[in-house]
Every structure is written in C-alpha cells, then in structure tokens.
Amino acid sequence: MSRKSPQDPGAGTAEDALRPLFDAFDNDGNGTLSYGELTDRMRLVGILDDDPRITGLLSSTGDRRTELGFEEFVALVRETSGLLRRVVRDDLAVPDFAALAADVDGLHEELCAERGGAVADYIPQLAEVDPELFAIGVCSVDGQRHLVGDAHEPFCVQSVSKTVNYCLALDENGLWGTHEHVGWEPSGRSFNELALNPQGRPHNPMINAGAIMSASLIRPESSAADRFGHVAETWQRLAAGRRVGFSNSTYLSERDTADRNFALAYSMREQEAFPEGTDLQRTLEFYFQCCSIELDADMLAIVAASFANGGVCPLTGERVFSVDTVQHCLSLMTSCGMYDYSGEFAFSIGLPAKSGVSGALMIVIPQVMGICVWSPRLDEHGNCVRGVEFCRRFAQRYNVHPHDGSEVQSGKRDLGRRKDHTLVESALALCWAAGQGDLNEIRRLVASGADPDAADYDGRTPLHLAAGEGRVDVVKYLLNRGVRVAPRDRWEGTPLSDAQRSGHQETVDVLRAAGHPAEAVTTASSARGRSRASSRTRVATGTRKAAKRPTGTAVAG
Ligand code: GLN
C-alpha cells in the first residue's frame, strides 16, 4: 500500500469524507436530502427529534420538506457527523432498535390489562395519583430512545432517589468513608423496617435507613438550599440537561406523616451511626425533598442509560459519576434494589434495578441500555406490579440475565452488542471526528475512555487532524485536555505545520500560544514534495483497514 503525505490541501478533503454519509441518507438517490429523509432515518434507529445531539441540525434544516444539497449538508452536519456516521454504519448499541421498540409497545399493551396491586397510601399525596397511568421508556447507551404510554407525565422518584444519593455520598466521602456508616448486605426486610445490622448500621443504602444515612453524608455543612440544588442538578445532568421538577405537596405530605422515618433516624442516632454533628431534622427534610424530585419516564430512562453507560450521559457525553461509583451502585441495586424481593428478582431477572413507592422502576442493562417503567400500583413489597412483570416477560424474550447461557437458550434474542470498542477503534474514531470538527463526538469518545493523544498507524493524532482542517474549537479542547502540543507523524509533520500549510492562521496562533515550537514548521515543510493525497481522505477511508492491523502497531501513546 503506498503511503500518502497528509500535507497536500489540494487533494481529498474532510468534506469528501462526508459524501458516503450524504448518499446513505439520500434514500431516493436524487442528490438532495430532505429534513424528512434525515429525521425518518434517525427515528428508525431511535434518535429522536428532541435529542440534543441533533436539535441544532434539525432546527437549521427547518421544514420537513426542505431539500439539502451536498454543500448545505456539509455546512450543517459538522457537530453531528460522528453520530450520523455511526447510524449509517449500523454501529449503535441496539442494532435492531425497531424490533425492540415493537416489543416494548407489545408489552405495554399486554400489561395494561394487569390491574393487580394498590397505589401507596401511607404518604397521603401519593394515594391521589391515577392508578391507570402507565409509561415505559428505554434509552440505549448510544441514546436510542423509545417511549410508550404516559411517558411525559411527571412522577416523584421516591426510593429511586436512593441510587443518586448513594453515588453522591460515595463521590464525596469515598467508599470507606461512606460504608463506615452504612452496610452492603440485603436486609431481607421491608424498605422501612425498624431494623439495623449487628453493627448498629443500616443494612444497605437502598432501604430507607440507609438512604437517610446517604443524605446525611451529602454536603452536610451546606445550606438546605445548596444541598437540594446539588442533588437536583445531578439528576438534571444524568437526564441530559432536562429540568427536573419537585412536588412540594408530596414533600409536605411525607414530612407530616413520617413517624417511621423519624423512628429509623433516632434509632441510628442511638447507635451513633451518623457522622458527628448530624442534624436529624435537617437530614430527614433533605431526604424527603430528594424523594419528591419529579421526572418523567423519558427522563428516568435517560438516567438509567447514564448508569448503564458507566456514568456518562449518552445524549450529552457528560461524565456525571465515575466508573467505580456507578459500579458500586449497580452492585447494590442488584442485591438490594427491590427491597425484600431483591433475591428473587436477582435470581430470575439478574439486572440492577431500583423501585420507588410512586410506582417508578429504573432498570439498568449495563453497557446496553436503561429502562424506566412507571405504573403506580404496587405489590406487597412496594414494587411496581407492571414493572416487575415487564422485567419478567422482557427477560423471557431477551438474553439479558448476566448468567443466561444465551448459546444454549433457544428462542431468546440478543438485545445489543456491548460497547467494548478497542483502543484502535476509538483512536481512529477520534481522528475522524477531529478532522470533521465534531466536538460532541470527541467529548463522547473521551468521556468513554478514548485517549485524545493516541495516534493512528501513521502517527497522526486528533490534534494533527483538527489543526490541518482549522477546527479551532477542537484544537483548543484537545490542548485543554493536555495532549502533546507538537507530536510528529511518520512524515515528521506536526499540527502546526498542518495548520500553516492549509492556511489556518487562527489555529496557528492557538498552537503557538500553547507553546508549539517554531522549529517544527521548518521540519514539516520538508514533507511538501511527498506523494499527493490528503490525510483527510486517508483517515476517512483508512479506518477499516487500520482497524484490521495488529493492535500493538496501530496505536501509539
Ligand atoms: N419517601 C419514601 C419513604 O421514605 C420512599 C420509600 C420508597 O419509595 N420505597 O417512605
């Protein structure tokens, strides 16, 4: 294979690399693309119109019938090209999303007939909720979403808040600093049982006593307003920036009827389980407020997907919790998330899940997707009846149980492929996105662990690609992430020489300001006479070939 110099701006361009994308979306092959063609294709794989990754693109394309030529397409898709590319390459977490959506719709319809259980009434405000409300939301770790039923009706998270509060307690106090105050064994008792473990600590953070303890560990020195704001903002980040609500009436109603939770708190104080100086009244009020945070099924599915995605929100690429924090939380959700039904749920379904007395149920399929089922009628354990039944039927159709020997289990379907991309694939995807200027895709890849400083088999780094295309924002982002300022590719080219050659003065200035040595320019300019094809073409078309090369030689630090 002949080696091409990356230095010639006159050959293939980053725009050329978008041609296959355009063609793939141009269903009728007429050389133009309508807003409708674009959104229909995206919707088919679960990328909905309100997805923050494409809202900019869609609002600029305007009316459903607006036709885009290739030039207009190129001008519009920069920040979305990585996602579009994964759509056309069929490289999303749930490949057959349409089949999954149809199954979810079918299960919703079947379960509407299920009217067992009763709405929680020990918190008076909850007793007033319409028992017929029923929603299911799913969101994959690539942000493919499907919603059915009352998916935009708000509900209180109640005990589902125990997951987020536990994660916040871990982030602030560390594993041992947290578990000095709370255990990790299932209690085998109901969620508000007056019982502590033999050390006088709550059994785990997924029941009331443990969640009151988590609340006491979150910013205890701050004002009530700051503590609540911190928790609400965390939910918001997990839910792709959507604003969370708060049901003041539920909060007041619970606070006024909270003898059991007060009793739990006093018994923990008697055992000196709380951190020194804990104010019980303030802690309990904070705990009740967290339970009264409102989301809808769409948002809770996105939150569940953020947990499935190791703490990174799939729609924004933002890391909210560390991988370790999420792993700890999912472990406890698996063993303790369904109260005194946790053992049977772990046995038959095997997935981390957390229920709340509002009828909310959050289910996580690690590395694949998150699910929310919301239906207010509860069984005797306090779990949503339709939610538990949904899980049972879902696990009969898909091999989601972690101990399901799928090869021998005939008749069960594979839900998705696990997102365990190799270092080579993520390095090449980063280079591609850098050349296109798709900062969203770059943030997503970096948040999922891709090294922004890794080079392809020609020694080309994302910084080379971004600099050569004059993607100033990307160059600044990469420099802020601490990548090497002047890496050399196999032709001795540096980002600065690439930027200079293509006449991107602003990029040159940014690189110089970041300390790029001037001598590199001279060295790189000697590459001019080499063979004449652009790196932009090479990187775009070379990804598959490169991925096949042996790992050790393809990616350098
Ligand atoms: N706020 C509720 C309580 O403390 C939460 C319980 C639950 O959802 N299981 O009683």
Side-chain angles (χ1 to χ4, degrees):
M1 182 170 61
S2 69
R3 286 286 184 221
K4 311 287 188 187
S5 161
Q7 317 296 350
D8 185 355
T13 63
E15 283 70 38
D16 292 343
L18 295 176
R19 174 59 77 177
L21 272 190
F22 181 81
D23 292 344
F25 280 99
D26 178 16
N27 278 339
D28 52 18
N30 68 353
T32 60
L33 191 61
S34 72
Y35 170 98
E37 274 173 308
L38 203 56
T39 49
D40 289 350
R41 176 74 186 267
M42 299 297 265
R43 228 178 277 130
L44 213 57
V45 296
I47 310 293
L48 304 186
D49 296 10
D50 63 354
D51 189 315
R53 296 169 297 179
I54 62 166
T55 41
L57 171 66
L58 296 188
S59 62
S60 31
T61 44
D63 183 78
R64 200 181 149 77
R65 285 154 308 178
T66 308
E67 295 281 334
L68 300 172
F70 180 60
E71 304 298 313
E72 291 149 302
F73 175 78
V74 167
L76 286 173
V77 299
R78 176 156 308 151
E79 293 270 304
T80 326
S81 55
L83 177 64
L84 298 182
R85 181 167 174 256
R86 284 188 298 132
V87 168
V88 302
R89 290 163 65 138
D90 206 9
D91 184 27
L92 295 173
V94 180
D96 195 352
F97 196 77
L100 170 70
D103 271 339
V104 170
D105 287 350
L107 286 173
H108 184 272
E109 200 179 322
E110 284 172 30
L111 289 168
C112 279
E114 174 59 75
R115 293 204 164 71
V119 173
D121 56 5
Y122 77 101
I123 299 174
Q125 204 65 26
L126 289 181
E128 291 173 20
V129 176
D130 177 359
E132 291 305 329
L133 290 166
F134 181 25
I136 305 177
V138 301
C139 178
S140 82
V141 294
D142 275 326
Q144 300 162 274
R145 284 149 63 220
H146 182 69
L147 308 168
V148 52
D150 306 297
H152 292 298
E153 192 68 35
F155 53 81
C156 291
V157 288
Q158 289 299 333
S159 269
V160 181
S161 66
K162 290 169 170 133
T163 56
V164 171
N165 281 9
Y166 172 58
C167 290
L168 288 173
L170 280 180
D171 273 359
E172 198 171 322
N173 303 275
L175 187 59
W176 301 110
T178 303
H179 280 280
E180 195 186 317
H181 301 283
V182 57
W184 26 38
E185 298 296 341
S187 68
R189 317 267 180 94
S190 74
F191 64 86
N192 58 3
E193 182 94 9
L194 261 178
L196 299 176
N197 72 14
Q199 290 74 44
R201 302 288 180 264
H203 288 87
N204 65 69
M206 299 294 147
I207 53 172
N208 283 19
I212 294 168
M213 188 56 76
S214 297
S216 78
L217 292 166
I218 300 169
R219 300 202 175 167
E221 310 298 337
S222 301
S223 69
D226 285 349
R227 293 174 94 185
F228 179 75
H230 175 48
V231 174
E233 195 219 328
T234 304
W235 276 102
Q236 196 164 313
R237 290 165 65 209
L238 289 164
R242 309 243 182 121
R243 281 194 79 76
V244 300
F246 174 69
S247 170
N248 196 34
S249 49
T250 309
Y251 161 64
L252 295 171
S253 154
E254 177 162 15
R255 195 189 59 177
D256 291 347
T257 53
D259 291 348
R260 178 59 68 101
N261 285 326
F262 273 96
L264 282 170
Y266 278 110
S267 87
M268 289 192 280
R269 185 160 83 177
E270 185 196 20
Q271 297 289 325
E272 297 178 354
F274 284 110
E276 237 180 276
T278 297
D279 179 326
L280 280 200
Q281 182 74 31
R282 269 169 46 101
T283 301
L284 281 161
E285 282 174 6
F286 178 40
Y287 164 74
F288 301 142
Q289 285 160 359
C290 294
C291 291
S292 296
I293 283 175
E294 283 187 333
L295 263 64
D296 62 22
D298 187 12
M299 292 166 78
L300 191 54
I302 300 172
V303 172
S306 299
F307 275 95
N309 200 27
V312 175
C313 177
L315 300 186
T316 59
E318 187 190 0
R319 175 166 291 290
V320 184
F321 292 129
S322 73
V323 172
D324 285 350
T325 292
V326 168
Q327 185 190 321
H328 299 324
C329 185
L330 294 182
S331 299
L332 287 175
M333 285 166 68
T334 308
S335 56
C336 314
M338 301 293 282
Y339 313 121
D340 44 336
Y341 184 66
S342 300
E344 192 172 333
F345 192 85
F347 181 86
S348 53
I349 314 294
L351 294 173
K354 186 73 202 84
S355 59
V357 288
S358 52
L361 177 59
M362 168 167 99
I363 307 136
V364 177
I365 308 178
Q367 294 176 55
V368 180
M369 68 180 204
I371 305 176
C372 163
V373 181
W374 172 57
S375 162
R377 289 200 193 89
L378 309 178
D379 62 19
E380 69 274 24
H381 308 286
N383 296 321
C384 160
V385 172
R386 287 173 176 163
V388 172
E389 191 53 28
F390 170 87
C391 292
R392 211 178 56 75
R393 296 186 194 186
F394 194 79
Q396 276 167 358
R397 291 179 198 198
Y398 290 98
N399 58 353
V400 288
H401 194 299
H403 312 309
D404 186 337
S406 51
E407 249 109 46
V408 291
Q409 291 268 0
S410 59
K412 283 198 192 176
R413 273 175 284 155
D414 221 359
L415 187 58
R417 58 172 84 95
R418 293 190 160 242
K419 305 291 312 179
D420 50 359
H421 280 157
T422 62
L423 275 179
V424 184
E425 283 168 329
S426 32
L428 292 170
L430 259 182
C431 282
W432 196 88
Q436 295 300 336
D438 186 348
L439 201 46
N440 288 331
E441 184 74 351
I442 294 171
R443 283 203 195 94
R444 183 190 75 80
L445 287 159
V446 170
S448 342
D451 178 1
D453 208 12
D456 73 3
Y457 58 90
D458 286 332
R460 306 279 292 156
T461 66
L463 192 61
H464 279 102
L465 274 292
E469 296 295 339
R471 312 294 191 200
V472 183
D473 290 351
V474 177
V475 168
K476 286 184 185 161
Y477 169 85
L478 292 168
L479 292 171
N480 281 337
R481 300 288 311 192
V483 301
R484 289 166 296 157
V485 185
R488 285 169 193 278
D489 64 21
R490 70 195 297 269
W491 301 275
E492 291 293 307
T494 63
L496 186 63
S497 63
D498 282 8
Q500 282 195 323
R501 181 149 299 106
S502 316
H504 297 303
Q505 192 51 45
E506 200 184 342
T507 306
V508 168
D509 295 343
V510 169
L511 286 165
R512 283 226 171 104
H516 197 305
E519 55 84 21
V521 186
T522 333
T523 317
S525 60
S526 64
R528 216 180 233 293
R530 299 204 190 117
S531 92
R532 307 180 67 77
S534 162
S535 69
R536 295 164 283 198
T537 310
R538 180 177 50 73
V539 169
T541 57
T543 40
R544 281 183 184 281
K545 286 178 202 148
K548 287 190 194 124
R549 290 179 151 249
T551 321
T553 55
V555 177

